Amino acid sequence: MLEYESLAQSNLAFMAELEEVAARVIRSGWYVLGKEVAAFEDEFARYIGAKHCIGVGNGLDALTLSIQALDMPAGSEVLVASNTYIATILAIVRAGHRPVLVEPESETFNMDPGRLPAVLTPATRAICVTHLFGKTCRMDDISSFARQHGLGVVEDCAQSHGAKLDGRMTGTFGDAGCFSFYPTKNLGAFGDAGAVVTDDDRIADRLRHTRNYGSAKKYVNEYIGVNSRLDELQAALLRVKLRHLDEMTSHKRALAGIYFSNLPEWVSLPGRRDDEFDVFHIFAVRHRERDALRAWLLEQGVKTEVHYPIPPHRQKAMAGILEGSYPIADQLHETELSLPISVGHSPEDIQRVCEIFRRVPDALRRTG
Ligand SMILES: Cc1ncc(COP(=O)(O)O)c(C=O)c1O
């Protein structure tokens, strides 16, 4: 059986380094917001090309605290892709605002900038873009729309560590770039972890307070904050993996190259653009008979995933929050299939998946 992903196998490659730094942190006696967090923040800011990095507890908090830091009037409208992962929308709601859905482009899965003018109202204050599956949004068009209308921009980079548009990293286009280091991410920790990058001194200062009860100085509370601190162990382990991130990305891009060259033409491949450096957090194909194809692949020994089975506007939790119909999101959620593409997979594994695809019965090949 070919697993969709094996995190243990991916992490074993760095075992000696990981064990060494874990022991160092345990011996240090200092476990939350210390030297390792400060060093990781410095190294990650440099990697992304941002002035500041603020470590937080997870990606959802990175988004929520960043949206709060924009200081918008309560109930402001925030534009967000209709097919994003639910966390992007939860962050807008948690920050006290109203998510307004914008349909994506089917080929790139990302927010369609051509649809922004139709959803703009006097209450619109920000755009929250998600660089879904490791692909970059059209930040040139989105940023110029935001500038024209005085909107804040928060980037959800939970799936786009190291992805670039015209040589510039995701996370550096908006007011804040929000990262998750959930274990399955391209830069994955060993538990929950997240970070915000920004060039804005005010936002950085606010986040340094709000992640820690609203306090940057012990027992002095300037804001209503939360407990969303990055711990020393995660930071130290992330520092090790950050040093290997480019080689992990190269590996995934090489695996994607095998899919692009070898999958049969009846599979709808993810869209590609010359100005984009896609990091393939997920290799998402589309097929009308997705569920039957997925079941057949499993019978042949290939595990796949679906990202995601239910679109946000159809989630029970979103009743009364997200209204209207979103046919492109519906269609993507019905047709998307995620193929194995992880650091733990070899080129031979991916060749094998492609060979199995060539044996798919005719009845399952129908496109459309
Ligand atoms: C697009 C997207 N946004 C936000 C999140 C939230 O990150 P976390 O799970 O670290 O809270 C995730 C990951 O789970 C994600 O994939």
Side-chain angles (χ1 to χ4, degrees):
M1 183 67 69
L2 187 73
E3 296 296 327
Y4 176 70
E5 172 153 56
S6 162
L7 289 179
Q9 200 179 335
S10 302
N11 286 320
L12 277 175
F14 318 117
M15 195 60 187
E17 288 175 274
L18 293 169
E19 278 180 344
E20 190 189 319
V21 301
R24 182 173 78 210
V25 171
I26 293 165
R27 283 200 196 92
S28 78
W30 188 280
Y31 302 122
V32 177
L33 292 186
K35 283 184 195 149
E36 297 288 348
V37 170
F40 173 71
E41 290 175 338
D42 188 46
E43 288 159 11
F44 195 62
R46 256 187 290 136
Y47 178 82
I48 296 293
K51 188 168 171 193
H52 306 280
C53 170
I54 304 95
V56 294
N58 54 69
L60 176 61
D61 286 347
L63 285 160
T64 310
L65 298 177
S66 296
I67 296 166
Q68 279 174 349
L70 294 181
D71 278 340
M72 303 182 289
S76 292
E77 292 181 4
V78 180
L79 310 183
V80 59
S82 56
N83 63 323
T84 186
Y85 180 57
I86 197 74
T88 331
I89 293 167
L90 288 175
I92 297 167
V93 174
R94 283 176 80 208
H97 302 297
R98 225 171 75 68
V100 173
L101 301 184
V102 182
E103 289 267 70
E105 303 167 312
S106 299
E107 299 72 34
T108 66
F109 299 91
N110 275 330
M111 178 184 277
D112 182 349
R115 293 174 184 270
L116 292 172
V119 289
L120 187 75
T121 76
T124 312
R125 291 283 186 281
I127 308 179
C128 192
V129 296
T130 307
H131 303 289
L132 204 65
F133 302 158
K135 310 181 72 57
T136 55
C137 291
R138 293 183 185 275
M139 292 316 295
D140 31 10
D141 294 339
I142 293 170
S143 304
S144 74
F145 182 84
R147 255 193 317 275
Q148 205 182 334
H149 298 284
L151 309 178
V153 176
V154 170
E155 296 176 71
D156 182 342
C157 305
Q159 303 189 4
S160 69
H161 314 75
K164 287 178 262 191
L165 180 67
D166 265 333
R168 187 169 156 192
M169 292 257 183
T170 59
T172 63
F173 292 91
D175 297 290
C178 304
F179 290 83
S180 163
F181 305 119
Y182 184 75
T184 56
K185 303 302 189 207
N186 278 15
L187 180 58
F190 295 78
D192 279 309
V196 176
V197 298
T198 182
D199 284 345
D200 186 319
D201 297 344
R202 188 195 62 79
I203 291 178
D205 181 65
R206 176 71 65 88
L207 272 138
R208 288 194 193 286
H209 288 82
T210 51
R211 71 174 171 182
N212 186 26
Y213 308 132
S215 165
K217 190 170 164 206
K218 205 169 182 186
Y219 305 133
V220 179
N221 295 77
E222 289 189 47
Y223 302 97
I224 300 288
V226 296
N227 175 354
S228 185
R229 301 174 296 219
L230 183 58
D231 67 69
E232 289 286 279
L233 204 48
Q234 299 306 334
L237 298 168
L238 282 167
R239 291 180 69 196
V240 170
K241 288 186 72 178
L242 179 58
R243 290 199 284 276
H244 296 284
L245 179 57
D246 285 344
E247 75 202 55
M248 292 192 281
T249 300
S250 298
H251 183 78
K252 292 188 84 167
R253 281 172 57 84
L255 300 183
I258 297 174
Y259 279 134
F260 280 117
S261 309
N262 294 286
L263 281 175
E265 78 295 337
W266 53 265
V267 182
S268 294
L269 295 167
R272 285 196 286 182
R273 301 205 319 264
D274 287 344
D275 57 356
E276 177 184 51
F277 184 85
D278 189 331
V279 294
F280 295 103
H281 172 56
I282 285 167
F283 194 88
V285 300
R286 286 170 293 132
H287 191 58
R288 202 170 64 172
E289 308 287 341
R290 190 264 318 274
D291 292 337
L293 176 61
R294 187 174 186 214
W296 186 85
L297 288 169
L298 187 61
E299 279 170 26
Q300 310 304 308
V302 176
K303 286 194 187 169
T304 56
E305 284 289 339
V306 168
H307 294 97
Y308 301 92
I310 306 173
H313 66 280
R314 295 192 181 276
Q315 296 286 0
K316 188 171 162 214
M318 291 293 144
I321 297 174
L322 301 177
E323 272 145 16
S325 63
Y326 301 93
I328 301 179
D330 280 333
Q331 200 201 19
L332 289 178
H333 287 75
E334 281 161 20
T335 56
E336 192 276 345
L337 183 68
S338 304
L339 304 186
I341 184 162
S342 79
V343 172
H345 287 120
S346 66
E348 293 71 31
D349 290 333
I350 306 306
Q351 291 283 8
R352 208 172 100 215
V353 177
C354 294
E355 275 156 30
I356 289 170
F357 257 90
R358 284 196 282 274
R359 301 203 313 261
V360 168
D362 281 348
L364 285 181
R365 292 184 181 206
R366 280 181 294 143
T367 52

